[in-house]
Amino acid sequence: MKTMVRNGFSRFAIIVLFVFVAYLHGITMPCSANENGPKNLILMIADGCGSEQYTLARWLKGSPLSFDSMLVGAVKTFNASSVVTDSAPAASAYATGHRTSDKFISMGPGENTINGIQPTPPDMRHRPLATILEGAKLKGMATGVVCTSRITHATPAAFLAHTASRDLEDDIMVQAVHQGADLVMGGGLRHLLPGEKKSVRADGEDLSLILARNGYRIVKTGTELETLKSGKVFGLFSSSHMEAELDRTVFEPEQPTLEQMTEKAIEILSRHTAGFFLMVEGSQVDWACHANDPAHLAGDLIMFDRAVGVALRFAEKTGDTLLVVVSDHNTGGMTIGNRRTSVTYPRMTPEELIEPIRKMTLTASGIWRKAQGSRSRLEGLIEQYWGIKTEKAEMERIMELAEAYKKYPGTALGEVISASRTAIGWSTQGHTGGDVPLFAFGPGSPRGLLDAQQLGNLMASAIGIDLKASTERLFVDAEAALAGFKVWLDKGDGRNIALRAKTKDIEAELPVNRNILKLGEKTVALEGIVIHAEATGKTYIPKQAIDIIKAASSPMQ
Ligand SMILES: [Zn+2]
């Protein structure tokens, strides 16, 4: 009894002491937004994925998804110009903490916004907005982007670049090359190199020379990737997009998986003592759902789950990493249950749901590629890769729809077979407007039903980034800031557009989309990229450039 009292008392004394010390600490230490916050942030986006897709993946996997236990809330996905968002404004909201307009890549919204959206203040419209990646760089953190699309595609672009349209992929690649991220992995060589197979770089510039000069290693295969241990890297594993997970082993076995890329990215970035920000996108979940293709969806979503598993194990081990897993919107409106099951659903067995999809070992578009337009070959391939002996009516419908879908004939396959042979329903070939589940693990985890831009701000502040201050530091209206200078946009031959600023003493040149300031003989690598906003005619440059130009034009007497 005595012992218990004594122990009870000493415990009380320790608690009092602890509370007192904590109080002293609280009043003497300046509080920052991320005190006890995470050192690292890993954001993983399953593009175009809703809750039914996750449920399907769980049934197929036969065990919980790696992020099931991380469910913390949901995200409202609409953007500034539409109830149903596309990837560019959706990813921009996560990247910058601002809702924006369709097509915009991390630029402030345009004039026309839908009802229910706060009108955009004029000075925010069409202006570059700093991203979490840029904010992390300013803090001295390491940064990386990993995806299975071209790295110039909407979601990765929203973290690496600022353009008025997601379609300006040549410009996005120039910005990505000059952004200074430590690590970029995905597809898209055709926007980096001239003469690359199916190269689309209109200006013929070889951007790999700039990467080499800036100390990057360029790797093109999974084997090369495995040899990397540290350093700055551009891993571009395909001319255009990377292969779907199911198709990879058949068409391009040398491409790494999303899991391999994620593992390597974390290995390299975690060497940096100041922490890191990494965005990983399972890009093709979205395309699978656009194509109404359960095979493509299963392959890529289960691979995404494995990639999250890698990140979660790292976060659990280190304890100082915030891992956020989310989608940007739903695509395809997939349902477990379709017209075939309208009456029979109360008796649906797991086998009825799982078996038809388990038999699918190539995507619909992969089958279509192999068929090369031949109906009889297509019939054989559907049997070979999907285990289905098609009936005449099915084949006729597939051929008819394929003709109608022109650019994406493979979509016909998913649509017809989903309806006739599986329990999977689809409501659209586009995106849908519902909320998407939000998963998080680690210090600073967001929770609740959040607006997309709110999630962006919460993630940024968790790692101590002030996005507003970062925007003010990186993107200053050059003409307004350089009063007394003649400032103009030199369009040159249309390829090397540059901002020029001139007084009687000096002339400065700042090539658009690059982080370069040329001042007489001197060339300075800037901490941010020069962005020209076509809609307003304004050019934005880092405050650092303004300071250097002003100092050079008024030398100390
Ligand atoms: Zn998307």
Side-chain angles (χ1 to χ4, degrees):
M1 190 68 187
K2 267 186 179 171
T3 317
M4 274 179 68
V5 169
R6 198 165 52 236
N7 281 352
F9 177 77
S10 57
R11 257 203 303 274
F12 176 72
I14 287 167
I15 289 167
V16 167
L17 188 67
F18 178 79
V19 169
F20 181 66
V21 168
Y23 171 75
L24 278 182
H25 179 79
I27 55 172
T28 54
M29 299 288 285
C31 273
S32 71
N34 68 330
E35 195 176 346
N36 303 318
K39 178 180 166 193
N40 313 308
L41 170 63
I42 304 176
L43 168 62
M44 303 188 73
I45 300 175
D47 199 299
C49 197
S51 62
E52 300 234 359
Q53 285 92 326
Y54 293 125
T55 309
L56 176 64
R58 191 183 304 120
W59 276 112
L60 290 167
K61 188 182 174 190
S63 59
L65 298 176
S66 57
F67 44 97
D68 272 356
S69 63
M70 294 164 47
L71 185 69
V72 291
V75 176
K76 294 183 265 180
T77 58
F78 62 92
N79 67 45
S81 61
S82 175
V83 168
V84 180
T85 192
D86 188 39
S87 297
S92 296
Y94 294 158
T96 69
H98 287 272
R99 272 197 213 291
T100 190
S101 309
D102 190 39
K103 297 260 183 208
F104 286 23
I105 296 288
S106 292
M107 299 285 277
E111 292 75 9
N112 300 321
T113 50
I114 56 170
N115 289 337
I117 294 277
Q118 284 253 308
T120 313
D123 65 335
M124 293 303 294
R125 289 179 199 151
H126 303 285
R127 60 120 59 238
L129 302 165
T131 69
I132 292 182
L133 185 143
E134 288 167 327
K137 263 178 46 212
L138 291 180
K139 266 194 84 196
M141 296 169 74
T143 57
V145 166
V146 170
C147 58
T148 55
S149 62
R150 294 188 293 268
I151 63 131
T152 48
H153 214 240
T155 306
F159 291 85
L160 291 165
H162 307 268
T163 57
S165 169
R166 58 176 290 176
D167 299 331
L168 298 170
E169 293 191 53
D170 273 2
D171 287 350
I172 291 167
M173 184 61 91
V174 175
Q175 292 187 33
V177 162
H178 290 86
Q179 182 57 268
D182 294 86
L183 177 154
V184 178
M185 293 182 198
L189 265 175
R190 69 183 198 181
H191 294 286
L192 188 84
L193 306 175
E196 171 67 19
K197 192 174 66 166
K198 294 188 220 154
S199 175
V200 292
R201 255 218 93 72
D203 58 12
E205 182 175 0
D206 183 349
L207 294 170
S208 71
L209 300 176
I210 295 169
L211 288 177
R213 210 179 304 139
N214 291 340
Y216 283 90
R217 280 198 48 196
I218 300 175
V219 294
K220 296 182 184 174
T221 66
T223 313
E224 283 180 85
L225 178 68
E226 283 312 311
T227 64
L228 295 179
K229 291 280 171 265
S230 60
K232 291 166 91 170
V233 56
F234 250 67
L236 294 179
F237 305 103
S238 178
S239 171
S240 180
H241 301 303
M242 293 176 71
E243 291 290 342
E245 179 50 30
L246 286 183
D247 299 354
R248 192 179 52 79
T249 46
V250 175
F251 294 107
E252 298 286 348
E254 259 303 309
Q255 289 183 3
T257 66
L258 186 66
E259 184 185 24
Q260 278 174 287
M261 291 193 287
T262 304
E263 195 158 27
K264 186 53 77 176
I266 292 174
E267 181 192 329
I268 292 174
L269 294 176
S270 63
R271 291 182 191 283
H272 294 256
T273 49
F276 68 87
F277 165 69
L278 171 65
M279 194 289 290
V280 176
E281 185 199 29
S283 318
Q284 303 195 19
V285 173
D286 177 61
W287 310 343
C289 295
H290 275 293
N292 293 183
D293 178 359
H296 194 171
L297 172 62
D300 275 71
L301 188 49
I302 288 172
M303 178 50 72
F304 178 78
D305 174 67
R306 292 173 60 153
V308 175
V310 168
L312 181 58
R313 283 191 291 279
F314 173 81
E316 283 170 341
K317 194 177 74 192
T318 54
D320 57 3
T321 300
L322 169 58
L323 171 62
V324 175
V325 179
V326 70
S327 177
D328 52 347
H329 53 79
N330 190 346
T331 302
M334 196 213 90
T335 52
I336 294 174
N338 61 13
R339 299 277 170 194
R340 275 180 75 227
T341 67
S342 296
V343 177
T344 58
Y345 69 87
R347 298 183 296 281
M348 192 189 294
T349 61
E351 293 73 26
E352 187 184 345
L353 173 66
I354 294 165
E355 287 315 317
I357 301 169
R358 275 233 180 105
K359 285 186 190 141
M360 297 174 168
T361 56
L362 203 66
T363 70
S365 69
I367 288 178
W368 194 266
R369 264 152 79 187
K370 273 187 165 286
Q372 295 174 323
S374 151
R375 176 174 164 163
S376 62
R377 209 176 298 143
L378 184 66
E379 225 174 317
L381 289 164
I382 294 173
E383 189 172 356
Q384 183 185 346
Y385 287 105
W386 283 12
I388 293 168
K389 252 184 129 43
T390 47
E391 285 169 11
K392 193 163 166 250
E394 286 174 313
M395 283 309 296
E396 270 165 14
R397 185 72 183 135
I398 288 169
M399 298 314 286
E400 188 188 333
L401 285 177
E403 182 76 22
Y405 293 157
K406 291 188 179 78
K407 202 176 160 199
Y408 301 104
T411 303
L413 208 57
E415 183 177 327
V416 172
I417 298 295
S418 286
S420 64
R421 304 285 182 145
T422 77
I424 300 299
W426 302 95
S427 62
T428 176
Q429 292 172 349
H431 296 177
T432 63
D435 304 337
V436 291
L438 172 64
F439 307 86
F441 174 88
S445 283
R447 59 188 308 115
L449 177 61
L450 304 175
D451 279 298
Q453 81 278 16
Q454 205 182 351
L455 176 60
N457 281 313
L458 286 171
M459 290 187 295
S461 61
I463 50 170
I465 293 171
D466 182 338
L467 286 170
K468 188 167 180 286
S470 303
T471 294
E472 283 162 7
R473 177 165 158 186
L474 289 179
F475 304 110
V476 179
D477 176 353
E479 197 171 2
L482 290 170
F485 283 75
K486 185 188 173 206
V487 179
W488 77 103
L489 193 72
D490 180 355
K491 297 207 169 175
D493 57 1
R495 288 183 178 173
N496 299 305
I497 301 171
L499 183 85
R500 291 182 187 277
K502 195 177 175 184
T503 59
K504 61 179 181 2
D505 312 316
I506 61 154
E507 181 170 340
E509 180 190 344
L510 296 114
V512 166
N513 297 327
R514 295 165 203 250
N515 67 326
I516 294 164
L517 163 64
K518 291 178 190 165
L519 200 60
E521 297 293 290
K522 214 166 70 173
T523 299
V524 182
L526 299 170
E527 63 181 13
I529 294 171
V530 175
I531 301 295
H532 178 68
E534 199 70 51
T536 57
K538 289 183 179 176
T539 305
Y540 296 85
I541 67 178
K543 185 170 180 304
Q544 177 198 17
I546 305 277
D547 294 343
I548 294 171
I549 294 168
K550 281 187 172 171
S553 71
S554 55
M556 301 285 280
Q557 297 298 320

